Amino acid sequence: MEGLNLHMLNATIGSDVDYRTFEGNDRAVASFSVATNRTYKNRDGEKQTETQWHRIECWNKLAKFASEHLKKGTNIHIQGEVRTDKSEKDGVTRYFTKTLANRITFLPGGANSQNASASEAKEQVDTLKNDSAPQGQTQAQPQNSGQAVTANQNAFNGDAEEDLPF
């Protein structure tokens, strides 16, 4: 039986997207951080907010999409898998956890709600969908409050693999 490594976040982008390309092999990577908040009441009944920061990475056409449309303050939904990288420096091993995104969806609210980037992104996603998406891969779906725009890594790559965990 295969395992399932699925990380889903509804978060706010906390940093501008760092986009890099690699010479000679048409590969690109984008990385940025997002914040999730949890609100609770402490023992004294006072409202407390706890913020967790998450490092996000995406590759190739999804990376280009992120660099063009994601801005600090935008609310997004991310689906991907958790990855842990290991780095050794001066004999000290450090581990870094990140989410390797394969789907990004704009959510209502945040910096994105007051500008045209969502409609521009929808247009770009629809174009990519018509060019390379496998049948059944919906990428732009309306939501109750505003338009949700989803960018799917599999559709950008023309990958015909199913996303089903079984």
Side-chain angles (χ1 to χ4, degrees):
M1 179 175 121
E2 280 190 42
L4 175 64
N5 181 356
L6 179 62
H7 194 206
M8 297 190 315
L9 298 166
N10 287 344
T12 303
I13 299 175
S15 67
D16 288 329
V17 176
D18 177 29
Y19 179 74
R20 297 181 311 267
T21 57
F22 300 94
E23 289 185 37
N25 61 5
D26 295 334
R27 293 179 49 99
V29 63
S31 57
F32 54 96
S33 60
V34 297
T36 55
N37 294 319
R38 179 176 77 96
T39 304
Y40 63 95
K41 290 186 179 180
N42 65 12
R43 292 182 191 171
D44 300 329
E46 298 169 344
K47 185 177 171 181
Q48 301 288 313
T49 301
E50 178 182 275
T51 301
Q52 292 288 319
W53 288 94
H54 310 269
R55 195 78 190 136
I56 309 298
E57 183 177 277
C58 49
W59 286 84
N60 301 323
K61 290 186 180 179
L62 187 58
K64 184 162 179 59
F65 176 87
S67 73
E68 293 173 354
H69 298 288
L70 301 183
K71 306 288 182 234
K72 183 176 180 178
T74 303
N75 291 332
I76 59 174
H77 172 80
I78 300 168
Q79 290 183 19
E81 56 185 71
V82 176
R83 293 280 177 97
T84 303
D85 290 336
K86 183 169 85 170
S87 171
E88 192 169 322
K89 183 177 180 180
D90 299 329
V92 177
T93 302
R94 296 181 61 182
Y95 295 91
F96 302 92
T97 304
K98 64 185 174 191
T99 298
L100 183 58
N102 58 30
R103 173 176 260 165
I104 298 172
T105 305
F106 287 103
L107 296 176
N112 184 37
S113 64
Q114 299 301 319
N115 62 33
S117 68
S119 60
E120 292 168 7
K122 180 188 181 313
E123 187 175 307
Q124 180 178 354
V125 169
D126 286 344
T127 301
L128 289 165
K129 176 183 173 190
N130 293 335
D131 291 344
S132 62
Q135 287 295 335
Q137 290 281 341
T138 302
Q139 297 171 14
Q141 304 167 357
Q143 272 188 352
N144 294 345
S145 56
Q147 183 86 13
V149 178
T150 301
N152 183 328
Q153 181 67 35
N154 291 339
F156 286 136
N157 289 337
D159 203 0
E161 254 183 57
E162 295 285 331
D163 281 353
L164 302 175
F166 50 88

